[in-house]
Amino acid sequence: MSAAVSAAPPSPLSLHPMALKLGHLGLLPFALGALLIWLIGDRNLEAHAFVTLGTSAYAALVISFLGGIYWGFAFRMPETTAQPFIWGIVPSLGAWVAVVMPAYAGLVLQGAMLIVCYLVDRRLYPEYGAAAWLTLRFRLSAGAALCCFLAAAGS
């Protein structure tokens, strides 16, 4: 008689330390971009435009990375549907549109996309065996989205 024992998913503290460090360091460009946008303000329009574009481009890269994770999940599955491949490109397309929008609107779209990506991940990560990453994903997404919204308000 064998009883199935369900182990609780590892806590974020038991995730790979390098992933934790790099994830948190990845918030620095968001925070620095938002801070610089506010500090520069209207005093130097060229610098302001450079920093807003840089912040938006970085957000687009991160959002694209979040979508690309689903391609990795799909590649690991012996059989899969088209769903992870399709969802995997949606964030990239939305982020690309946001980069070419005026910063006050594009950064809002990117902040919203970071939230949507997290909500999708919260629903799908358990299916792909990645539920242990959700606490870290929440923290990083909340921080990055907040910075995008603050940067949009300052642009």
Side-chain angles (χ1 to χ4, degrees):
M1 173 175 1
S2 68
V5 178
S6 173
S11 74
L13 297 177
S14 67
L15 298 176
H16 196 287
M18 187 56 69
L20 293 169
K21 288 177 189 172
L22 292 174
H24 288 101
L25 283 173
L27 287 176
L28 286 178
F30 283 108
L32 184 60
L35 180 65
L36 286 174
I37 287 169
W38 278 93
L39 289 176
I40 294 169
D42 292 337
R43 284 174 278 175
N44 185 334
L45 295 180
E46 187 175 317
H48 190 265
F50 179 78
V51 172
T52 55
L53 177 59
T55 304
S56 180
Y58 182 72
L61 291 170
V62 169
I63 292 164
S64 293
F65 175 82
L66 295 175
I69 289 170
Y70 284 89
W71 280 55
F73 287 154
F75 289 150
R76 290 183 44 217
M77 308 300 283
E79 290 184 33
T80 190
T81 65
Q83 184 259 343
F85 295 110
I86 294 169
W87 170 248
I89 64 166
V90 169
S92 297
L93 294 173
W96 171 57
V97 169
V99 168
V100 299
M101 294 172 70
Y104 65 85
L107 285 162
V108 170
L109 176 58
Q110 288 170 326
M113 289 178 65
L114 286 161
I115 294 168
V116 168
C117 285
Y118 170 75
L119 294 173
V120 169
D121 292 351
R122 196 173 84 179
R123 187 174 67 80
L124 296 179
Y125 269 28
E127 292 177 28
Y128 293 106
W133 293 95
L134 286 172
T135 301
L136 178 63
R137 278 281 291 114
F138 173 78
R139 291 176 186 159
L140 297 178
S141 295
L146 177 62
C147 288
C148 284
F149 296 139
L150 290 171
S155 63

